[in-house]
Amino acid sequence: MTSGAALEVSGVSRAFGGVFAVRDANLSVAPGELRAVIGPNGAGKSTLFGLIGGQLAPDAGSVRLDDVRIDRLPPHRRARLGVGVVFQAARIFPGMTTLENVMAGAHATTHAGFLAAAFRLPSHRREEREIRDRAAECLRRTGIEDWAHRPAEELPLGQQRALQLARALCGRPRLLLLDEPASGLRTAERERLATLVEDLRGDGLTILLVEHDVAFVMRLADRVTVLDLGRVIADGTAAEIRADSRVVGAYLGTAA
Amino acid sequence: MSDFLGYLLTGLGIGAGYALVASGLVAIHRVTRVVNFAQGAFAVVAAMLTSSLLAAGLPHGFAELTGVLTAALAGLLVGLVAIGRPGTTPGTSLIITLGLGIFAYAIEIVIWGDQPRSFAGVPGVAVVGGARLQAHYLLILAVTVPVFLAMAAFFARTDVGKALSACASNPYAALVVGIDVRRMGLLAFALGGALGGLAGVLTTPVQQVTFDSDVTLLVNGFAAAILGGLTRPVVALGGGLLLGVAQTLIAGYGGSAYQLEVALVLMLAVMIVQASRRGAVPEPAR
């Protein structure tokens, strides 16, 4: 069965201690689409993010990346299949420079073998040079090239978020997952992030953006999926979502 | 003066053994956050096996190498039991390694008995700068120094070494960039086993081995490793050498009965001082 979707989430459920965090969720993201997932606090956004990224396994249902089932794979296998993840929390490598952090993102794409690396064979040196160039380009794109040789843990929060994004891009993902990327950012940083996300979509990258800030996603996303109490309650373009009474109800706390 | 130089070189040789055990502890702890209490057993198994192989007429070199590789395999097995199940906490794994370390006694006694064993190393006496010492101590140093240099190059320059370092820095982030953290943990256990085994085969010709020699090695190795918070291999190397020299000097100029106590006092002092600052064993980043 081929759906043609870049990401296909079908009937996915996940409960914690008998309480469903996500219940029978369906989501289909077309190649090159920028999809936002929004919802009030406790709607199951972070759980859904973890189910796609691999931090969580579903109790039921399936997750497919380009028609390949990934829902039972551990996170590192999903990364190798092309799922790039940017967490809200700064999951960086302290003790390494910013450039080294981003180069580590290319781990999923390295091919030169152990012996080639150990003996510094030409194939390995060429690959390393290529990764260094690619990492530098990712740093430039995310606007943190001035921090390249500083220890990553010294970066301010906004730059650590950018560093995670650069690291994910260095792994040449097919699907980019962003968990509340705008949270905690200042207005100027937020604008810069919005521009970058639009650029990446322009490159044809498929992006899934989980975000609490509705205004931020409404102007960026091709389509918006709304979660409430673990269920998908609406799915459509920004204009359709704005006009949807169930969404308004979920956000205002009135009965839908 | 020549006494002192003799003690110093002897101490460095003994300390190299501690440093190898310590670096094995550090390699495993950095990548997996597990304090491996079975670390001393790797040295005992490698030394016992080497003594058997040599007694059976196999040549030097081959016997020692087989001992070290078997210790690496033992390390892998300990790792499989201790961290093989996803979600095992480092605290649980620590208890498992403690249990395996004691279980190893039973296996060692069944195979090799409970009597001390040894085998010949480099024969004869070397004279360095007027100081006389067993020539084997020089071999210990001649092997240990290149091993540490090779490890430094491995961690800094190879992809596998960098992946191990990435797991050490932040295992959650390592998964995200496609590194199999569990496999890297098992690799660290195998590396720790090889380093422990190397300590065993190198030091047995000058210090005979019994099934419970692991306690001395583990206490000294841990004392050296804890100096660097179990995360800094270079500090562990320095700590091991320092400990060996200090013990040899104390033994040489008086109380030979107090060697293990030196390590215990140092270890406790370091842990108490570090605990009052930020915890002797650092918490992992998230």
Side-chain angles (χ1 to χ4, degrees):
Chain A
M1 185 188 78
T2 55
S3 62
L7 174 71
E8 183 86 51
V9 175
S10 335
V12 161
S13 296
R14 171 71 199 224
F16 295 101
V19 178
F20 280 100
V22 169
R23 187 163 203 168
D24 195 24
N26 295 291
L27 188 70
S28 183
V29 183
E33 182 183 332
L34 171 49
R35 171 69 62 97
V37 175
I38 63 170
N41 279 327
K45 300 190 298 292
S46 294
T47 303
L48 183 64
F49 187 87
L51 290 167
I52 300 169
Q55 286 69 42
L56 296 169
D59 297 326
S62 67
V63 179
R64 286 185 170 80
L65 178 74
D66 292 331
D67 289 313
V68 176
R69 262 191 91 152
I70 61 167
D71 47 275
R72 297 287 148 189
L73 299 180
H76 68 271
R77 297 274 306 278
R78 301 193 199 197
R80 289 193 161 257
L81 286 173
V83 180
V85 183
V86 177
F87 293 102
Q88 193 181 355
R91 287 192 173 167
I92 59 165
F93 296 114
M96 299 189 195
T97 67
T98 301
L99 178 65
E100 286 167 346
N101 261 266
V102 176
M103 287 176 70
H107 186 90
T109 63
T110 48
H111 297 294
F114 172 71
L115 289 176
F119 295 104
R120 321 243 351 123
L121 297 180
S123 64
H124 177 255
R125 284 210 300 273
R126 195 163 48 239
E127 188 171 47
E128 192 165 86
R129 197 163 47 238
E130 195 260 323
I131 288 173
R132 187 174 288 271
D133 292 347
R134 204 201 306 170
E137 166 66 15
C138 294
L139 284 173
R140 196 192 56 69
R141 257 192 119 165
T142 51
I144 51 171
E145 68 269 41
D146 291 344
W147 300 83
H149 300 291
R150 300 275 290 276
E153 64 271 25
E154 287 182 5
L155 268 61
L157 176 79
Q159 277 70 23
Q160 291 198 0
R161 188 87 42 79
L163 164 56
Q164 281 198 81
L165 185 51
R167 186 178 66 194
L169 293 176
C170 196
R172 293 193 170 144
R174 285 194 279 174
L175 169 69
L176 183 64
L177 298 176
L178 303 170
D179 189 12
E180 309 216 2
S183 73
L185 296 190
R186 292 192 295 265
T187 312
E189 291 173 330
R190 200 174 279 236
E191 283 308 309
R192 184 164 198 172
L193 176 70
T195 311
L196 176 58
V197 170
E198 275 177 334
D199 270 9
L200 293 173
R201 190 189 58 169
D203 292 350
L205 183 60
T206 310
I207 302 172
L208 185 96
L209 172 68
V210 172
E211 185 54 68
H212 190 70
D213 181 343
V214 177
F216 180 78
V217 300
M218 283 301 189
R219 50 181 257 240
L220 285 177
D222 296 311
R223 289 179 75 84
V224 178
T225 299
V226 186
L227 283 181
D228 186 36
L229 301 174
R231 291 176 185 277
V232 174
I233 59 166
D235 196 325
T237 64
E240 289 164 3
I241 294 299
R242 269 200 207 90
D244 193 310
S245 62
R246 286 167 305 175
V247 177
V248 176
Y251 270 91
L252 296 181
T254 57
Chain B
M1 189 58 213
S2 68
D3 272 358
F4 176 78
L5 187 61
Y7 292 145
L8 184 67
L9 288 171
T10 306
L12 286 174
I14 292 174
Y18 300 156
L20 285 167
V21 173
S23 62
L25 283 169
V26 169
I28 292 171
H29 180 266
R30 284 184 76 209
V31 178
T32 65
R33 266 74 179 175
V34 175
V35 181
N36 176 32
F37 273 87
Q39 187 65 24
F42 301 149
V44 174
V45 166
M48 294 282 191
L49 181 65
T50 302
S51 77
S52 291
L53 293 176
L54 289 170
L58 289 161
H60 273 293
F62 176 80
E64 280 88 348
L65 187 64
T66 307
V68 170
L69 291 178
T70 305
L73 188 66
L76 181 64
L77 289 175
V78 168
L80 277 171
V81 178
I83 64 164
R85 251 184 83 85
T88 311
T89 64
T92 308
S93 300
L94 180 152
I95 303 295
I96 293 173
T97 65
L98 185 60
L100 288 173
I102 294 169
F103 183 61
Y105 284 0
I107 299 175
E108 286 154 16
I109 291 173
V110 166
I111 301 178
W112 292 290
D114 60 356
Q115 292 306 303
R117 283 176 165 248
S118 191
F119 51 84
V122 178
V125 171
V127 181
V128 181
R132 295 166 59 83
L133 71 157
Q134 291 184 54
H136 187 78
Y137 283 108
L138 298 179
L139 175 76
I140 297 178
L141 291 173
V143 172
T144 305
V145 171
V147 163
F148 270 93
L149 292 176
M151 275 210 304
F154 169 69
F155 276 104
R157 306 186 74 164
T158 68
D159 287 342
V160 178
K162 286 178 190 165
L164 283 165
S165 299
C167 296
S169 170
N170 187 341
Y172 302 92
L175 280 172
V176 170
V177 299
I179 296 170
D180 188 340
V181 173
R182 182 173 159 278
R183 186 190 288 180
M184 289 296 143
L186 293 176
L187 184 64
F189 263 96
L191 182 64
L195 290 167
L198 188 60
V201 300
L202 282 177
T203 58
T204 297
V206 289
Q207 289 184 326
Q208 52 185 0
V209 62
T210 51
F211 68 91
D212 59 356
S213 297
D214 67 313
V215 176
T216 315
L217 283 168
L218 185 64
V219 168
N220 284 291
F222 191 76
I226 200 74
L227 270 179
L230 285 177
T231 54
R232 290 153 71 191
V234 177
V235 180
L237 168 64
L241 295 177
L242 197 69
L243 207 52
V245 171
Q247 288 179 0
T248 313
L249 289 177
I250 288 170
Y253 292 112
S256 63
Y258 302 118
Q259 294 200 7
L260 194 57
E261 285 75 1
V262 172
L264 282 169
V265 168
L266 175 76
M267 182 173 85
L268 290 174
V270 170
M271 288 182 81
I272 290 167
V273 170
Q274 288 191 345
S276 65
R277 283 194 316 211
R278 60 184 173 89
V281 178
E283 294 295 315
R286 273 178 191 269

